[in-house]
Amino acid sequence: MINHHPDEALLLDYATGALSEAVALTIATHASMCIRCMRQINQLEAIGGSLLASETPAECDDGVLAQILMRLDDEGLEPAATVKTESSAILPPPLRPYVNEPLHQLPWKRVGGLYEEYRLPLADTKVRASLFRLAAGTHTPKHSHRGQELVLVLSGGYRDGDAQFARGDFSALDVADTHQPIVDDDGPCLCLGVQEAPMRLTEVLSLRLRRFLRI
Amino acid sequence: MTNDPMNKLVEAVAKHRDREAFVQLFTHFAPRLKGFALKRGISLAAAEELVQETMLAVWRKAATFDRNRANVSTWIFTISRNKQIDLLRRQTYPEVELEMALDQPGSEPAPDQRAEWAEFGTDLQSALKSLSPEQRTILQKAFFEEKSHRTIALELNLPLGTVKSRIRLALARLRAVFPEEYV
């Protein structure tokens, strides 16, 4: 049961194509696990379709059609979509093009002795998206961010204040938000995370220091 | 609409690689796609390239069209959205499809719900006409110009909260068109 969803503004921005690749990937991945948000996206796309249908036609010169007709023979036919997924697979379909190896073989980087990160190879490098792996029971220190931070749980779970997050749950934190997620004791947690701006250096140092002092 | 003649045209392109059907689709959609693209403020040359690439994708992807999942204009809208990102930003837009979410445990809908999807087109059209001019302007900015809430707020010189609430109201009106199971 998914309890935490993206707000309507993000779903609309996904449907219109306004999101950066990293954020769009997070929304698509959430929706692939969440029928409620999937339906909302489909509705918003239907609204886009209606706007297109009621658009005033602009004049198209005949040359364009002639050019396309000449190119048709070179174009194949893509087979009908057969997205059959094992629901047991950890990575939902939208993420798979970005992860070409089994999870345990990815070049994970340890950060601050607290978690491991694998940065996804996006075409758009302005906003980064990563997979994060945290061990069971990890207490992250209280921290804030310079930009918006999005987190989507892929497996395991964590608690943040009074809220519990499990597979499919989405959270968006803004600059003003400070939080302290604590990973569940019964297993590691794998998340997809997007940071508009990296954590402050002082925070990374503080992570290391806290780790060293075991606080 | 399930009986939308456009459905048959796309299906003829898929099954029989029917060029005549394709020309009819082109004649209907290309001028609208072009108008749509020009509103997004891209150059005439880029708009024409977008129209071409979108229509070529219609030819190539015809077999992926499922009349139970979307009507033809919605299907073409998403193709053109993805193509625009592909052409202008050199990126692949991360896609998600209903089937993926249906595969999740506990989310199987009653089969008869799926068939209605395509029938909302006309109702949506009249709902769109009933919006206030302010609501329509904001929605058009979002859809045609591919602008985020933040950018729209800056452009219209309105607080972000006002933009969000106008969009929310407009969407709520449009959503009333969909039966309850879809909300």
Side-chain angles (χ1 to χ4, degrees):
Chain A
M1 180 69 190
I2 296 173
N3 291 312
H4 304 278
H5 306 269
D7 68 8
E8 192 173 44
L10 273 172
L11 297 179
L12 177 67
D13 287 346
Y14 173 82
T16 62
L19 296 179
S20 67
E21 189 182 13
V23 180
L25 177 62
T26 312
I27 299 299
T29 307
H30 169 77
S32 75
M33 298 187 277
C34 174
I35 189 73
R36 186 187 116 170
C37 291
M38 184 69 241
R39 289 212 188 287
Q40 289 203 38
I41 289 172
N42 281 162
Q43 287 178 5
L44 294 164
E45 287 172 343
I47 293 170
S50 285
L51 285 166
L52 172 63
S54 53
E55 173 63 27
T56 322
E59 214 169 295
C60 266
D61 85 72
D62 296 340
V64 181
L65 176 59
Q67 270 183 348
I68 291 184
L69 288 176
M70 282 197 305
R71 290 173 63 186
L72 289 188
D73 290 332
D74 302 332
E75 299 283 342
L77 180 67
E78 285 178 21
T82 46
V83 203
K84 263 295 147 202
T85 56
E86 315 138 53
S87 36
S88 61
I90 289 181
L91 291 186
L95 263 180
R96 289 182 201 157
Y98 296 92
V99 184
N100 299 319
E101 286 173 88
L103 285 175
H104 65 275
Q105 284 174 17
L106 293 173
W108 294 93
K109 258 194 196 144
R110 264 204 99 65
V111 181
L114 259 186
Y115 58 84
E116 290 173 295
E117 175 177 5
Y118 169 67
R119 189 170 175 182
L120 298 174
L122 304 184
D124 173 7
T125 50
K126 284 197 288 290
V127 187
R128 67 197 280 173
S130 303
L131 295 179
F132 290 101
R133 236 173 16 177
L134 293 95
T138 304
H139 280 55
T140 61
K142 216 172 204 176
H143 64 280
S144 59
H145 304 269
R146 255 188 294 189
Q148 211 188 28
E149 181 200 66
L150 309 178
V151 177
L152 175 65
V153 181
L154 299 171
S155 73
Y158 66 87
R159 190 158 45 83
D160 196 0
D162 295 332
Q164 182 66 41
F165 293 81
R167 179 169 167 86
D169 279 324
F170 173 93
S171 90
L173 290 143
D174 237 314
V175 191
D177 300 316
T178 308
H179 71 146
Q180 183 171 27
I182 297 168
V183 179
D184 295 349
D185 287 328
D186 55 1
C189 181
L190 179 74
C191 299
L192 168 64
V194 170
Q195 288 176 335
E196 276 186 339
M199 261 200 239
R200 290 191 183 87
L201 183 63
T202 51
E203 283 160 356
V204 176
L205 285 176
S206 135
L207 289 182
R208 290 210 177 115
L209 188 64
R210 279 158 189 269
R211 175 80 184 175
F212 180 69
L213 298 172
R214 296 184 183 275
I215 51 170
Chain B
M1 279 175 287
T2 307
N3 297 322
D4 187 347
M6 295 293 164
N7 288 342
K8 291 218 170 72
L9 294 176
V10 179
E11 285 158 7
V13 169
K15 281 190 204 124
H16 314 296
R17 307 263 73 191
D18 185 335
R19 283 174 168 254
E20 220 166 280
F22 179 79
V23 171
Q24 285 187 55
L25 283 170
F26 182 94
T27 314
H28 183 81
F29 281 104
R32 288 175 170 79
L33 281 167
K34 190 171 168 185
F36 195 78
L38 288 174
K39 275 203 185 142
R40 291 186 166 202
I42 64 180
S43 70
L44 186 63
E48 278 178 353
E49 191 185 358
L50 180 60
V51 171
Q52 274 207 34
E53 292 303 320
T54 302
M55 290 312 295
L56 277 172
V58 164
W59 175 261
R60 205 165 48 232
K61 289 173 178 288
T64 67
F65 172 70
D66 177 354
R67 63 159 74 191
N68 293 323
R69 217 171 63 195
N71 62 26
V72 176
S73 12
T74 301
W75 181 65
I76 294 184
F77 163 75
T78 57
I79 291 179
S80 114
R81 173 196 69 194
N82 297 349
K83 274 286 157 212
Q84 173 162 344
I85 290 163
D86 190 3
L87 287 174
L88 299 184
R89 295 199 228 148
R90 303 274 162 222
Q91 291 166 21
T92 310
Y93 202 57
E95 287 182 69
V96 58
E97 305 194 355
L98 185 63
E99 275 63 28
M100 301 173 186
L102 290 177
D103 263 2
Q104 296 295 310
S107 58
E108 205 60 41
D112 59 332
Q113 284 181 9
R114 298 193 61 208
E116 294 167 35
W117 248 116
E119 295 177 16
F120 305 134
T122 7
D123 296 344
L124 261 182
Q125 297 276 9
S126 39
L128 270 177
K129 287 195 189 108
S130 75
L131 295 178
S132 74
E134 290 86 9
Q135 287 174 332
R136 230 186 352 246
T137 309
I138 281 196
L139 263 195
Q140 284 182 336
K141 277 204 176 292
F143 278 98
F144 290 109
E145 300 170 26
E146 200 199 79
K147 285 189 174 131
S148 69
H149 286 62
R150 271 170 228 248
T151 323
I152 295 174
L154 280 176
E155 273 194 16
L156 296 179
N157 203 10
L158 289 170
L160 185 60
T162 309
V163 169
K164 280 195 175 178
S165 69
R166 274 194 198 165
I167 290 185
R168 203 161 40 231
L169 283 172
L171 291 179
R173 269 192 100 145
L174 296 178
R175 284 231 169 99
V177 164
F178 298 96
E180 237 171 79
E181 313 87 85
Y182 290 89
V183 183

